[in-house]
Amino acid sequence: MRDFSNDHRWLSLNTATVRKQGDLVAIIEACARHGIRAIDPWRDQVAATGLDRAVKAVRDAGLELSGYCRGGMFVADAAHRIEARDDNRRAIDEARALGAPCVVLVVGGLPQYSRPGSVASRDIAGARTQVHDAIAEMLDYAKAAKMPLAIEPLHPAYAADRACVNTTKQALDICDALDPTRSGALGVALDVYHIWWDPDLLPQIARAGKQRLMAFHVCDWLVPTKDILNDRGMMGDGVIDIPSVRAAVEAQGFSGYSEIEIFSDDWWSKPMDEVLKTCIARHRTAV
Amino acid sequence: MRDFSNDHRWLSLNTATVRKQGDLVAIIEACARHGIRAIDPWRDQVAATGLDRAVKAVRDAGLELSGYCRGGMFVADAAHRIEARDDNRRAIDEARALGAPCVVLVVGGLPQYSRPGSVASRDIAGARTQVHDAIAEMLDYAKAAKMPLAIEPLHPAYAADRACVNTTKQALDICDALDPTRSGALGVALDVYHIWWDPDLLPQIARAGKQRLMAFHVCDWLVPTKDILNDRGMMGDGVIDIPSVRAAVEAQGFSGYSEIEIFSDDWWSKPMDEVLKTCIARHRTAV
């Protein structure tokens, strides 16, 4: 297991962590100030800045990317599926332009939440079938673009509205089915927030293996959680044994960035430099 | 699958659903008014009324019980384990006095939340081992008292503070280990709120079988969920396909009550008779 206690060379910042304190260019400048070497930007932030300007800002700062957030939201009624497909193809094109190593997929929940305007449904099994089929379709385009796709299982609390892939096992079952040779085109993005509770987690990390462990995200689970979406914790402030999960991922050979992604009304209310300083300190002591 | 559309003879009321509108005696009187035949009372409500008075009120009203809430909260540091053991033995004694068919077990999360005052820990695997061992110990006492124990898997959102058994599979693994002959002494209590998201749900219900399906609870999952503990929905107001879960349970031979348990600041703010009328209507149309 890598020693993170002396530096933060393996810290990546998911830009949603400070999305309310500045635009993408401001975040990139702040990363440069704090010696942060990598980011994972969100599409809405890239769009607000303009793709070309975002590409230039990333290059000028000498930043790497640890992912691109996000593709997915596949579940839709028939009238919205082409929109979903085309939107995901654009995500791949943007990821290429930015030099991302993968597109992170948040697969969508029920159609009325995944693609608003879709006819409402309670059929989660049907949603899961749709996700499987849509990833199969997206994978063709992604392979042609040489852009890996990383399925992110989301906590079961988001099953209805954000992602009906809720365990690492489910994500890997899709990988097995659609990329049985483990070509590197399809894998998983694991965020401790979503998976820490899973009694099957360690066997599934071993099952994933290095080839399919494409991203590793950290934050913490607070007790109480005041808001299920926007009350994630800074590493060390909650109940997740983060080092044990990182040890399991690294035991498979994962050697990439430890990406900090915190959706938090509390942390969004603090100055960007204070948040980044805290991220760096906690990366050293609690990850 | 039983037809619930014409009456509510298989409706049981978990008394937490109206716990803020009246004490246990008032709830029992309201059930009598509305032709509700069964309840599942909580220990704090029984304690507030007094056990003898509660037993008499249940008998006088001719009510059955569909369970007794709750035993568990097993996870504790060494200094608090005897307290947990003895508290659970009292729960069994009370359940016998009340004529309950089983004690529902909410097993506890990390020790600092499960038994406040315990030394804090992030070791969820250790918590799970403790739960296994504590149920084994409780089972001896329960068997002597002829009181079945029903393990309730709780939604993964409660893994830290309420229950580290978070899937039906986990609960059944404990049943297999501690009661391999399926004697009827140990089973599961399934609440759609906690399990609806689980991609492995239907196979696990089949695995459980009639002997181990000891209780079936209903409410609904709202989107958005404003509060992870106290914003559960009335059946029909959320995203859970409740009839499909009931069909699976009944396909195994389950023929007991469909117990309504709703923790909701919204429903607690309404008059008890309005809540019960709505429960009865939704039991007929949405369960």
Side-chain angles (χ1 to χ4, degrees):
Chain A
M1 187 172 172
R2 293 172 290 177
D3 179 4
F4 282 180
S5 66
N6 293 313
D7 58 61
H8 58 283
R9 63 180 284 107
W10 293 110
L11 186 164
S12 172
L13 182 73
N14 185 295
T15 57
T17 305
V18 286
R19 73 181 181 203
K20 299 208 176 160
Q21 291 95 323
D23 67 7
L24 186 60
V25 171
I27 294 169
I28 287 171
E29 288 169 356
C31 286
R33 279 200 300 281
H34 291 275
I36 291 172
R37 303 197 308 152
I39 60 170
D40 179 349
W42 278 66
R43 291 186 72 195
D44 59 326
Q45 294 171 311
V46 169
T49 296
L51 180 61
D52 293 345
R53 190 159 162 250
V55 168
K56 185 171 185 308
V58 167
R59 283 192 189 154
D60 289 351
L63 284 175
E64 292 195 312
L65 262 63
S66 56
Y68 188 47
C69 279
R70 55 179 164 68
M73 294 295 163
F74 297 111
V75 188
D77 65 11
H80 293 81
R81 280 181 210 166
I82 299 295
E83 167 196 311
R85 185 199 68 186
D86 292 349
D87 186 40
N88 278 309
R89 290 179 175 179
R90 285 193 296 274
I92 289 171
D93 297 342
E94 294 161 21
R96 274 192 77 174
L98 287 158
C102 61
V103 172
V104 175
L105 300 182
V106 172
V107 301
L110 297 172
Q112 62 270 37
Y113 307 111
S114 172
R115 290 284 164 182
S118 292
V119 175
S121 165
R122 290 190 175 98
D123 181 6
I124 192 166
R128 286 167 173 156
T129 300
Q130 262 200 49
V131 165
H132 183 282
D133 295 348
I135 294 177
E137 183 180 43
M138 185 177 181
L139 194 57
D140 289 337
Y141 191 91
K143 281 179 174 171
K146 297 190 180 1
M147 179 53 62
L149 303 179
I151 305 168
E152 183 172 16
L154 254 56
H155 195 285
Y158 306 114
D161 50 347
R162 304 196 146 241
C164 60
V165 170
N166 305 107
T167 63
T168 307
K169 177 179 186 297
Q170 261 185 292
L172 290 171
D173 286 349
I174 296 171
C175 293
D176 278 354
L178 300 183
D179 185 38
T181 65
R182 303 188 180 199
S183 70
L186 188 60
V188 296
L190 298 186
D191 185 320
V192 296
Y193 192 80
H194 298 303
I195 60 174
W196 74 276
W197 62 272
D198 184 354
D200 198 28
L201 178 60
L202 297 183
Q204 293 299 326
I205 288 175
R207 173 189 172 199
K210 180 181 182 180
Q211 188 79 54
R212 302 194 290 193
L213 290 168
M214 293 183 173
F216 179 63
H217 297 186
V218 295
C219 66
D220 215 331
W221 183 280
L222 301 179
V223 178
T225 291
K226 292 175 289 183
D227 183 286
I228 193 61
L229 185 59
N230 293 329
D231 190 31
R232 301 187 190 181
M234 180 63 66
M235 301 79 70
D237 288 347
V239 298
I240 305 177
D241 182 358
I242 302 171
S244 79
V245 184
R246 182 164 75 86
V249 167
E250 294 195 9
Q252 295 304 313
F254 177 80
S255 58
Y257 286 98
S258 177
E259 177 182 323
I260 298 172
E261 182 181 38
I262 305 174
F263 291 2
S264 164
D265 291 325
D266 283 349
W267 288 100
W268 284 328
S269 72
K270 298 180 197 293
M272 187 165 352
D273 285 302
E274 179 187 339
V275 176
L276 296 192
K277 277 182 198 167
T278 309
C279 285
I280 289 167
R282 298 300 180 84
H283 174 84
R284 293 182 174 204
T285 58
V287 174
Chain B
M1 188 170 171
R2 292 171 290 176
D3 180 5
F4 281 179
S5 66
N6 293 313
D7 58 61
H8 58 284
R9 63 179 287 107
W10 293 110
L11 186 163
S12 172
L13 181 73
N14 185 295
T15 56
T17 304
V18 287
R19 71 181 182 204
K20 299 207 176 162
Q21 291 95 324
D23 67 8
L24 186 59
V25 171
I27 295 169
I28 287 171
E29 289 169 356
C31 285
R33 278 200 301 281
H34 291 275
I36 291 173
R37 303 198 306 152
I39 62 170
D40 179 348
W42 278 65
R43 290 187 73 195
D44 59 327
Q45 295 172 309
V46 169
T49 296
L51 180 61
D52 292 346
R53 189 159 163 248
V55 167
K56 184 170 187 308
V58 167
R59 283 192 190 153
D60 288 352
L63 284 174
E64 291 196 312
L65 262 64
S66 56
Y68 188 47
C69 281
R70 56 178 162 69
M73 295 295 163
F74 297 111
V75 188
D77 65 10
H80 292 80
R81 278 180 211 165
I82 299 296
E83 167 196 311
R85 185 200 68 185
D86 291 349
D87 186 40
N88 278 309
R89 290 180 176 179
R90 284 192 296 274
I92 289 171
D93 297 341
E94 293 162 21
R96 274 192 77 176
L98 287 157
C102 61
V103 171
V104 175
L105 300 182
V106 171
V107 302
L110 297 172
Q112 62 271 37
Y113 307 111
S114 172
R115 290 284 164 181
S118 291
V119 175
S121 165
R122 290 189 175 97
D123 182 6
I124 192 167
R128 286 167 172 155
T129 300
Q130 263 199 50
V131 165
H132 183 281
D133 295 347
I135 294 178
E137 182 179 42
M138 186 177 179
L139 194 56
D140 289 337
Y141 191 90
K143 282 178 174 172
K146 297 190 178 10
M147 178 54 61
L149 302 179
I151 304 168
E152 183 172 17
L154 254 55
H155 195 284
Y158 306 114
D161 49 348
R162 305 195 144 241
C164 59
V165 170
N166 305 107
T167 64
T168 308
K169 177 179 186 298
Q170 259 186 294
L172 290 171
D173 286 350
I174 296 172
C175 293
D176 279 353
L178 300 183
D179 185 38
T181 65
R182 302 189 181 199
S183 70
L186 188 60
V188 296
L190 298 185
D191 184 320
V192 296
Y193 192 81
H194 298 302
I195 60 175
W196 74 276
W197 62 272
D198 184 355
D200 198 27
L201 179 60
L202 297 184
Q204 293 299 328
I205 288 174
R207 174 188 172 201
K210 181 182 182 180
Q211 188 77 53
R212 301 194 291 193
L213 291 168
M214 293 182 174
F216 180 63
H217 297 187
V218 296
C219 65
D220 215 332
W221 183 280
L222 300 179
V223 178
T225 291
K226 292 176 289 183
D227 183 285
I228 193 60
L229 184 58
N230 294 328
D231 191 31
R232 301 187 190 181
M234 180 63 65
M235 302 79 70
D237 287 347
V239 298
I240 305 176
D241 182 356
I242 302 170
S244 78
V245 184
R246 182 164 74 88
V249 167
E250 294 195 9
Q252 295 304 313
F254 177 81
S255 58
Y257 287 98
S258 177
E259 177 181 324
I260 299 172
E261 182 181 37
I262 305 174
F263 292 1
S264 163
D265 291 325
D266 284 349
W267 289 100
W268 285 327
S269 72
K270 298 180 198 293
M272 186 163 354
D273 285 303
E274 179 186 340
V275 177
L276 296 191
K277 276 182 199 168
T278 309
C279 285
I280 290 167
R282 298 299 180 83
H283 173 84
R284 293 182 175 207
T285 59
V287 175

